[in-house]
Amino acid sequence: MNNKSNFNVKDERNLTMLVDFYELTMGNGYFDKGLKDKIAYFDMFFRRIPDEGGYCIMAGVEQLIEYLKALKFTDDDITYLRGKNTFSEDFLEYLKNFKFTCDVWAVPEGNPVFPNEPLVTVRGPVIQAQFLETMILLTINHQTLIATKANRICRASEGRPVMEFGSRRAQGYDGAIYGARAAIIGGCSSTACTLSDRMFNIPAIGTMAHSWVQLYDTEYDAFKAWAEIYPDDCVLLIDTYNVIKSGIPNAIKIFNEVLKPLGKQPKGIRIDSGDITYLTTKCREMLNAAGYEDCKIVISNSLDEHIIKDVLDQGASIDSFGVGERLITAKSEPVFGGVYKLVALENNDELIPKIKISENDEKITNPGFKKIIRIFDKNSHKALADLITLRDETVNEKEPLVLFDPIHTWKRKKFKNYYTKELQVQIFEKGKCIYESPTVLDIKQFSKIETDKLWSEVLRFENPHTYYVDLSQNLWSLKQSLLHKFTASYEPQD
């Protein structure tokens, strides 16, 4: 299925210059020092899961592809850079004739991902590979954050539809547009963002605001007018004045007096304020007593996964949720800490691994050109662990596989009845895109399938079980050798 829209906001602007300025100053330095053709490898990865969760949901690859396809410097860009009096004319001429030639690998959208795994790997001339840092981080960080938050919220809803209602509270236009896209990938059923529907063919929905009710002399008149216009899809917002004393009685009157004579059934009521558990329970009783057992109750009141879980545990009678600001901004933890680090260079076709060392253990990088292998149980098809290996390593599934904790190396586990899957796929080869992104709805379905392969202990909100991401023996040994090499060089000599 391929139902993508031809419309895209990217056609209206050139994002090439959406970079941190140091990417340009370093590029100028690489060029002037004769390093422009030096082949470098960079990894994008993150170190910690937001909200102390057990996993994240990969998102944003399609927008990264669009950016890489459109890379070009306009005459106005060159004029602007020349005016900074920072860059050599030879470097500016290089940018004027810029041609993207990198190889790029990425984990496909919708996959559950974990700390320290290379979500995106770039190989190419160091000027180009360095230049991509800001947009790779901006694109993957944002959408992965929102997709992850949406997935948590949708799991809390226990199968009830979750509608994304956050455009008006998003951080800017792109936050609304691409946040809605990521929310669908994470599991939301629909969005209130019309432009996201137009761009990505995801369901846009919406009924009325309180202003519709206030516009009429009475709540009854407002409901009557709405039911007459939308008899086949009548959802009434009942909390403008008083849910129990006014909203729900007037809604039932309209269902009886307008819809029933037409042979129509109401689709639902929506409550946007108040005590959710109490109000939904009472409304359900009143709807059922009036013969409208199938009328849905929709809630949209500053919700997140914790509130949703709490009200459902309390017995609230809710059929679907509209979630806005706390989803679209990932309010509880609004930063996804992805980083982009140099991991290798090529020197006369020899791969030279590179490492970043820190006093903080979690900031020490994994060197070299790598890949991620996911290990599954053959019987349950549940994901058991991930293994980061050097790119040329293979796993023989016919033989037992022993994994060890990269910090506490005495902790080991042997797998026998398993199969494996490589997570990264190549999306660009020598600057040419060789990957076709699935539709957003297909990614959503894929993500559900893959997330369901995680054990429930990893999925829980409180104190989730740590999903193990281990290093192969070869990668671990390479890392240790580089640590010893560089730390020894700083030790005082006798």
Side-chain angles (χ1 to χ4, degrees):
M1 181 178 71
N2 191 346
N3 59 350
K4 292 185 186 177
S5 169
N6 291 326
F7 174 83
N8 205 311
V9 166
K10 80 178 182 66
D11 297 330
E12 301 176 3
R13 57 187 175 174
N14 176 25
L15 296 177
T16 298
M17 293 282 281
L18 207 171
V19 295
D20 286 297
F21 197 71
Y22 79 170
E23 287 156 24
L24 289 161
T25 56
M26 283 191 288
N28 183 77
Y30 294 143
F31 188 93
D32 288 356
K33 288 298 182 180
L35 298 172
K36 71 179 181 68
D37 295 322
K38 187 76 170 176
I39 300 299
Y41 295 74
F42 285 82
D43 282 345
M44 184 262 167
F45 59 95
F46 67 99
R47 298 187 177 108
R48 192 178 66 82
I49 298 170
D51 292 314
E52 299 183 352
Y55 65 99
C56 292
I57 300 295
M58 180 68 172
V61 174
E62 182 178 346
Q63 282 61 55
L64 176 60
I65 289 172
E66 291 170 352
Y67 169 75
L68 296 177
K69 283 181 176 180
L71 275 175
K72 65 178 179 181
F73 292 86
T74 67
D75 290 341
D76 286 344
D77 293 338
I78 302 301
T79 299
Y80 159 77
L81 292 173
R82 183 176 288 115
K84 301 298 287 184
N85 297 317
T86 302
F87 308 104
S88 69
E89 282 300 317
D90 287 343
F91 178 62
L92 294 177
E93 186 66 20
Y94 165 81
L95 294 183
K96 184 177 180 180
N97 299 301
F98 182 87
K99 179 176 173 55
F100 182 62
T101 61
C102 289
D103 300 320
V104 184
W105 294 261
V107 175
E109 296 183 270
N111 272 293
V113 289
F114 301 92
N116 300 312
E117 297 181 334
L119 306 186
V120 180
T121 297
V122 178
R123 174 197 176 274
V126 66
I127 289 180
Q128 297 186 31
Q130 183 77 67
F131 185 80
L132 305 182
E133 177 179 8
T134 300
M135 280 301 286
I136 287 177
L137 292 175
L138 170 62
T139 305
I140 303 299
N141 278 345
H142 173 243
Q143 290 202 45
T144 301
L145 175 70
I146 304 305
T148 301
K149 186 66 171 179
N151 192 272
R152 288 172 59 86
I153 290 170
C154 291
R155 283 196 301 105
S157 76
E158 299 178 356
R160 298 165 178 83
V162 175
M163 300 164 282
E164 184 279 309
F165 278 4
S167 294
R168 65 190 66 185
R169 302 287 172 78
Q171 273 98 350
Y173 312 131
D174 287 344
I177 296 166
Y178 297 111
R181 178 186 187 275
I184 297 295
I185 289 173
C188 288
S189 61
S190 55
T191 178
C193 183
T194 308
L195 185 53
S196 294
D197 180 7
R198 183 180 175 190
M199 288 174 61
F200 308 119
N201 288 312
I202 57 181
I205 50 87
T207 54
M208 64 170 67
H210 294 108
S211 56
W212 175 272
V213 179
Q214 293 170 290
L215 187 70
Y216 288 82
D217 291 337
T218 69
E219 188 177 53
Y220 176 89
D221 291 337
F223 289 174
K224 182 173 184 291
W226 191 265
E228 289 170 345
I229 299 169
Y230 301 108
D232 293 313
D233 193 25
C234 185
V235 179
L236 301 177
L237 180 61
I238 66 170
D239 72 323
T240 304
Y241 303 118
N242 186 295
V243 171
I244 302 302
K245 294 181 179 180
S246 172
I248 190 65
N250 278 325
I252 291 172
K253 280 185 181 180
I254 294 304
F255 298 159
N256 288 334
E257 296 173 9
V258 178
L259 297 184
K260 188 175 285 186
L262 297 173
K264 308 291 184 181
Q265 287 293 317
K267 286 296 178 65
I269 58 168
R270 180 162 72 92
I271 303 172
D272 193 47
S273 60
D275 185 323
I276 294 173
T277 303
Y278 170 74
L279 293 176
T280 59
T281 302
K282 295 298 291 183
C283 286
R284 183 77 274 157
E285 291 174 359
M286 295 171 75
L287 287 168
N288 289 354
Y292 296 110
E293 294 89 349
D294 294 332
C295 182
K296 305 298 185 185
I297 299 177
V298 184
I299 296 300
S300 55
N301 180 24
S302 297
L303 303 173
D304 62 18
E305 65 270 38
H306 300 293
I307 293 174
I308 290 172
K309 183 179 185 302
D310 285 347
V311 297
L312 291 179
D313 287 347
Q314 293 164 8
S317 184
I318 301 171
D319 297 292
S320 63
F321 299 90
V323 186
E325 62 188 48
R326 299 188 184 189
L327 166 55
I328 204 68
T329 65
K331 182 180 178 182
S332 56
E333 191 158 346
V335 176
F336 192 81
V339 295
Y340 188 73
K341 299 296 182 183
L342 178 73
V343 293
L345 295 171
E346 286 184 14
N347 186 19
N348 296 324
D349 295 327
E350 180 184 1
L351 192 73
I352 310 298
K354 294 290 182 177
I355 191 170
K356 161 71 172 65
I357 300 176
S358 172
E359 293 290 334
N360 187 339
D361 287 346
E362 73 171 11
K363 289 194 172 184
I364 299 174
T365 59
N366 293 319
F369 185 30
K370 302 176 292 295
K371 63 185 178 183
I372 314 164
I373 296 173
R374 183 152 293 167
I375 303 160
F376 296 91
D377 183 273
K378 270 189 177 179
N379 294 326
S380 67
H381 303 289
K382 293 289 188 181
L384 301 171
D386 285 0
L387 180 66
I388 305 176
T389 75
L390 297 173
R391 181 64 63 153
D392 58 1
E393 291 189 75
T394 59
V395 172
N396 185 352
E397 296 177 358
K398 295 180 180 179
E399 298 196 358
L401 175 64
V402 177
L403 269 57
F404 62 92
D405 187 292
I407 304 298
H408 308 105
T409 55
W410 64 90
K411 293 182 179 180
R412 295 174 177 256
K413 185 172 180 62
K414 181 183 287 188
F415 299 98
K416 293 182 178 180
N417 192 35
Y418 69 93
Y419 63 95
T420 63
K421 171 186 173 183
E422 289 188 22
L423 291 193
Q424 279 193 345
V425 300
Q426 189 163 7
I427 59 175
F428 279 84
E429 183 176 9
K430 297 180 180 178
K432 180 181 179 182
C433 182
I434 58 173
Y435 177 81
E436 183 176 353
S437 295
T439 68
V440 178
L441 295 180
D442 285 345
I443 296 170
K444 172 187 174 181
Q445 180 61 26
F446 169 78
S447 185
K448 183 181 186 309
I449 292 169
E450 294 304 307
T451 305
D452 285 346
K453 293 177 183 177
L454 300 178
W455 293 101
S456 59
E457 292 86 350
V458 176
L459 296 172
R460 67 188 176 214
F461 295 139
E462 302 297 331
N463 299 314
H465 177 75
T466 298
Y467 182 88
Y468 291 106
V469 178
D470 295 330
L471 308 183
S472 69
Q473 180 67 59
N474 289 343
L475 176 55
W476 185 88
S477 297
L478 172 63
K479 185 175 184 177
Q480 296 305 309
S481 69
L482 291 176
L483 285 171
H484 289 309
K485 173 184 174 182
F486 287 107
T487 54
S489 66
Y490 291 103
E491 293 177 358
Q493 302 298 312
D494 292 333

